[in-house]
Amino acid sequence: MNTKQTGDETEARIIAALIAEGYTVSVPFGDNDKYDLVLDTGRRLLRIQCKTGWIEDDVVRFKTASKTTTDGTVTMDDYDGEVDAFAVRCKETGTLYWVPIDDVGKKSTYLRLTEPEIDHPSVKLAERYRLENRLP
């Protein structure tokens, strides 16, 4: 499976889970927005970036910056001010997570699978961010 297929599968699973929870989900036309989905909570619209995370050293890691190459120059742009939350699927376990933009690091975020929590802005305890427990 290539990275596009993996991303599509992640997005589809997240959409299915959100619809199953009773939310209305919209998909923006084209690939020009920083967000992948718009979630209607009934009171407000939230811009959601979907990410596929992977297990690395007892954490689920996911990227919180997009990498772009233009004329050979690589830039990393974070999503601050562009999205409201990240919906993350751990590829190995299929577990879904909901992480508000204020809780992520600038380039990557790490969700620890075991205790104890580490006092670091990019490292969070995974159990606290399970999608079914964190949705707005």
Side-chain angles (χ1 to χ4, degrees):
M1 187 178 301
N2 64 41
T3 56
K4 175 71 171 126
Q5 289 170 310
T6 299
D8 288 347
E9 182 179 335
T10 289
E11 198 170 304
R13 290 176 186 244
I14 289 167
I15 290 169
L18 293 171
I19 290 171
E21 291 289 333
Y23 292 96
T24 298
V25 180
S26 299
V27 179
F29 177 76
D31 289 327
N32 295 319
D33 297 301
K34 286 274 196 145
Y35 51 90
D36 296 314
L37 308 173
V38 177
L39 180 72
D40 185 343
T41 69
R43 291 190 308 251
R44 61 190 272 222
L45 301 175
L46 300 175
R47 300 162 299 171
I48 309 306
Q49 174 58 226
C50 298
K51 291 292 185 182
T52 304
W54 64 95
I55 295 178
E56 178 181 289
D57 297 328
D58 205 31
V59 298
V60 174
R61 180 181 176 193
F62 65 98
K63 300 279 188 177
T64 53
S66 65
K67 184 177 178 180
T68 307
T69 304
T70 306
D71 296 327
T73 303
V74 177
T75 58
M76 296 289 285
D77 294 314
D78 65 31
Y79 292 89
D80 194 31
E82 303 288 338
V83 303
D84 298 300
F86 288 85
V88 181
R89 175 181 70 105
C90 176
K91 188 174 177 179
E92 289 87 351
T93 66
T95 305
L96 301 178
Y97 299 96
W98 180 270
V99 187
I101 187 70
D102 293 338
D103 291 0
V104 302
K106 290 294 182 190
K107 292 182 182 178
S108 290
T109 295
Y110 305 85
L111 302 176
R112 284 186 60 79
L113 296 169
T114 60
E115 297 276 350
E117 188 165 6
I118 295 174
D119 186 21
H120 188 281
S122 296
V123 181
K124 311 292 183 186
L125 196 55
E127 189 61 31
R128 293 185 184 163
Y129 291 92
R130 289 181 68 101
L131 185 119
E132 64 271 16
N133 300 330
R134 289 292 297 219
L135 287 173

